[in-house]
Amino acid sequence: MVGGTYYPLKIRREDEQLYREAARRINDKLNRYRKRFPQLSEEKYCVMAAIHTSMANVMWEQFNDTAPYADRIRQLDNQLDAFLAEQADQAEGAE
């Protein structure tokens, strides 16, 4: 139940606790907005909660952006390959 309304969703049983926690967080956010801005409509509270949740998701996506690390790992991998190839060439030349 979110915002006093029951939503009949079909979910996997193993995801039930995640959905319950998500609903709890949304309800907490809605209640905070209701207390802080009592003059607004229920629709506006829902939109404000959606904006808040979307912003949190965007921030986590940016925080979890691993592209710079993946690029650096590729560079190091290429350097290691070149070093090992050079060592192999030197070892063949020494024989």
Side-chain angles (χ1 to χ4, degrees):
M1 184 177 298
V2 174
T5 302
Y6 173 75
Y7 295 92
L9 299 174
K10 287 188 177 187
I11 60 171
R12 297 183 317 193
R13 177 156 312 279
E14 60 266 21
D15 293 339
E16 182 178 353
Q17 283 307 113
L18 294 172
Y19 277 88
R20 288 185 186 277
E21 178 61 20
R24 186 193 66 75
R25 290 181 185 192
I26 292 168
N27 284 324
D28 287 348
K29 185 58 67 182
L30 288 171
N31 288 332
R32 280 188 241 146
Y33 287 135
R34 285 182 189 116
K35 287 178 186 174
R36 183 162 172 117
F37 308 103
Q39 74 282 5
L40 298 179
S41 68
E42 194 64 27
E43 179 181 319
K44 289 193 179 189
Y45 298 133
C46 291
V47 171
M48 291 167 71
I51 291 169
H52 175 85
T53 301
S54 294
M55 279 298 300
N57 288 338
V58 168
M59 290 171 62
W60 274 107
E61 286 170 0
Q62 290 176 351
F63 179 75
N64 288 323
D65 181 12
T66 59
Y69 303 108
D71 291 342
R72 183 66 178 137
I73 289 170
R74 272 192 289 280
Q75 289 173 351
L76 292 170
D77 188 45
N78 290 338
Q79 289 176 357
L80 181 59
D81 284 346
F83 175 77
L84 293 174
E86 182 180 310
Q87 293 300 308
D89 289 345
Q90 288 177 1
E92 285 179 13
E95 292 176 6

